[in-house]
Amino acid sequence: KGRTAFVGPAAYVQYASVLRYGVRPFRCGLGLLPQSRHELFGLGTAFTACLRSDTSYFMAKFVFAATAVATAVVVVPFTVLAEEERPPAEEPPHEAAPATENAHAPATENTAPDHAKGPESNLGESSHHGEEASHHAEAKEGEEKKEEAEEKEPDWEVTGDFVGGATTLDVLRESKTPGERGFDSMRVSAYSLVVGVERRLGERWKVGASIPFITAYLSSRTGESEGRSAQLIGNLELEAAYIFARGEHWELEGSLGVALPTAGGKEQPSAEEFSAEPEGEFKFRSIDRFAAARAASFTRGLYSSSLFESGRLGLVPRVAAVFRFDKLTVSPMVKVENLIDTTGDASEKYVGEITGGVRAAYKVVPYFEPGLHAFINARFTSPAEFDALVLEPNVRFPVGPIIPQVSVLIPVAGDLVDDKTFGVRVAIVGEF
């Protein structure tokens, strides 16, 4: 498994390194592909030394860390699962039970060979064995039904997901004095609650819906405009999911979400559009609501942009998997958010984003499950840009059908770091 298992993640990181840092990380990584899993431990020192020649030490550590993370979350699950799911060896047939002491005792007048006992004796013996087999089959069937009842997933899932945080945005400010209109740097405190419900249909299908409720307060960083608040309801998203492959310890699921453009607010004009007509009629309250929705999306790390984009229809295909290793659960996911303008006024008719991440959680005790969610968001339509790499340490407290969770969203790279964005999540899931 050594060569095959590690070529995939290493090649992926090398490709990513070419895009961001040039040719040398690719050449270093290509020359250091491990030939077995034991060689992985020496990869860090060699890779870092290779990169040092024309790359900063920090960059070398960053690329090696990405290699290690990709290997841990992609290779290890498949390797362990492959070993766990090997078919068990067939048990040898049970040998006949040893004869009892009575079998060695001499025959008495009451003992006789089988053919001398008559048909009634044989009938009684076969009936006795038949009853034992019947009881055994019933007990086994009862155990199987009990296990199926325990493993059956709940039909309904209800979610309440609250995130509060802050970010920085440039928002068009209103002024009655001619010539004083313009964009102002605003610190936006945003609070959003996403309510969702999901229904399981049979063994493989799931359908669901979710919608956010948003409130925000905008305060000027320059003092050139007064603080103000805005409230709105976001886009209603409908989703259908299908589990198209599964094993004893894993599942692979695909889904399609459609976000209907129900959110309030109106996208503000671009700097070029405003310069062309600075005294035009602008709906400033709608612009504030748009800014509130955008800020709510930022505080969530741009993980679900389709819920918060005013005036856009969202089409979101997604592929996700779940791997279970005793107390450890690993869940990778990737999705593409296609955001299509429905107003005819937006400067960009189509915006495309890709979001990918991995969740890992470890059940320490039945009611305490710490974990980490790491994900990225990047825009692939012009202008293409890397928006965020976010780390979300979290703790879940499963108590029967109720699962509370608390976490902190920390952007560590991308534009959200420049905007000084952060978020705190408090969520609860109920399964019925």
Side-chain angles (χ1 to χ4, degrees):
K1 299 177 183 176
R3 185 188 300 264
T4 304
F6 288 98
V7 164
Y12 169 79
V13 174
Q14 292 152 15
Y15 174 70
S17 302
V18 172
L19 297 181
R20 191 167 181 84
Y21 301 117
V23 177
R24 184 164 188 80
F26 175 77
R27 186 170 68 252
C28 293
L30 188 61
L32 293 170
L33 281 179
Q35 303 303 312
S36 70
R37 66 183 67 184
H38 303 291
E39 295 182 21
L40 180 64
F41 298 100
L43 177 61
T45 304
F47 196 14
T48 303
C50 183
L51 284 170
R52 273 184 176 177
S53 59
D54 61 356
T55 313
S56 70
Y57 181 61
F58 173 78
M59 186 187 304
K61 291 196 299 182
F62 176 81
V63 176
F64 171 63
T67 306
V69 171
T71 301
V73 302
V74 178
V75 175
V76 174
F78 284 101
T79 304
V80 176
L81 285 176
E83 294 177 355
E84 287 184 354
E85 295 190 357
R86 288 179 179 174
E90 294 183 0
E91 297 182 359
H94 295 287
E95 297 181 358
T100 61
E101 295 179 359
N102 293 334
H104 299 284
T108 63
E109 59 182 3
N110 293 329
T111 60
D114 289 343
H115 65 272
K117 291 182 180 179
E120 292 124 356
S121 175
N122 292 333
L123 181 61
E125 185 177 351
S126 62
S127 175
H128 175 68
H129 288 302
E131 289 178 1
E132 287 185 351
S134 176
H135 288 310
H136 180 70
E138 290 178 0
K140 185 176 181 181
E141 184 179 355
E143 291 177 0
E144 291 178 353
K145 289 182 178 180
K146 184 178 179 180
E147 291 178 359
E148 289 178 1
E150 291 176 353
E151 295 177 358
K152 183 182 178 183
E153 296 188 20
D155 292 332
W156 290 93
E157 181 178 290
V158 180
T159 306
D161 180 10
F162 174 83
V163 173
T167 189
T168 304
L169 295 173
D170 290 334
V171 183
L172 186 63
R173 68 174 182 269
E174 182 179 12
S175 176
K176 297 180 179 179
T177 304
E180 291 191 1
R181 287 181 175 180
F183 292 92
D184 191 9
S185 178
M186 309 290 289
R187 190 64 178 167
V188 185
S189 300
Y191 309 91
S192 58
L193 172 65
V194 177
V195 178
V197 61
E198 183 179 271
R199 178 71 164 94
R200 182 175 293 274
L201 303 175
E203 293 295 324
R204 294 183 179 269
W205 282 98
K206 293 185 292 185
V207 294
S210 57
I211 189 169
F213 301 86
I214 307 158
T215 184
Y217 184 78
L218 296 79
S219 57
S220 174
R221 300 175 65 201
T222 63
E224 296 181 0
S225 59
E226 297 181 355
R228 51 199 185 271
S229 61
Q231 297 80 33
L232 73 153
I233 298 176
N235 292 333
L236 171 64
E237 184 170 68
L238 308 176
E239 185 179 37
Y242 180 74
I243 301 173
F244 53 86
R246 65 171 25 149
E248 184 178 356
H249 302 289
W250 60 275
E251 286 185 358
L252 189 60
E253 175 184 287
S255 68
L256 177 63
V258 178
L260 305 178
T262 57
K266 178 179 176 59
E267 186 173 355
Q268 65 185 6
S270 64
E272 293 78 9
E273 293 171 340
F274 176 75
S275 300
E277 193 178 0
E279 300 303 324
E281 294 185 4
F282 301 107
K283 298 180 179 180
F284 292 97
R285 294 299 297 167
S286 292
I287 290 175
D288 287 347
R289 285 193 288 272
F290 178 88
R294 180 62 60 86
S297 181
F298 282 13
T299 59
R300 291 173 174 267
L302 291 168
Y303 190 75
S304 301
S305 300
S306 58
L307 289 173
F308 302 95
E309 283 291 330
S310 302
R312 291 187 182 273
L313 173 69
L315 300 176
V316 187
R318 180 180 68 98
V319 177
V322 179
F323 302 96
R324 302 179 183 88
F325 315 92
D326 192 16
K327 295 183 178 181
L328 176 66
T329 303
V330 179
S331 306
M333 182 280 305
V334 63
K335 63 179 178 178
V336 177
E337 303 209 19
N338 303 282
L339 307 173
I340 305 166
D341 175 50
T342 58
T343 65
D345 299 329
S347 56
E348 297 173 292
K349 304 305 179 184
Y350 169 76
V351 175
E353 297 179 358
I354 184 168
T355 302
V358 178
R359 297 177 187 268
Y362 187 83
K363 185 174 290 186
V364 179
V365 293
Y367 306 118
F368 183 73
E369 189 175 324
L372 177 66
H373 183 200
F375 61 93
I376 63 170
N377 176 276
R379 174 173 171 155
F380 57 83
T381 52
S382 180
E385 56 187 4
F386 175 70
D387 289 322
L389 167 61
V390 180
L391 299 180
E392 184 184 3
N394 59 81
V395 180
R396 290 164 26 116
F397 307 93
V399 183
I402 306 299
I403 307 174
Q405 173 186 321
V406 293
S407 63
V408 180
L409 294 107
I410 308 170
V412 295
D415 294 340
L416 294 187
V417 176
D418 300 333
D419 296 332
K420 298 179 175 60
T421 304
F422 72 92
V424 177
R425 184 192 307 273
V426 179
I428 187 168
V429 177
E431 299 177 336
F432 308 98

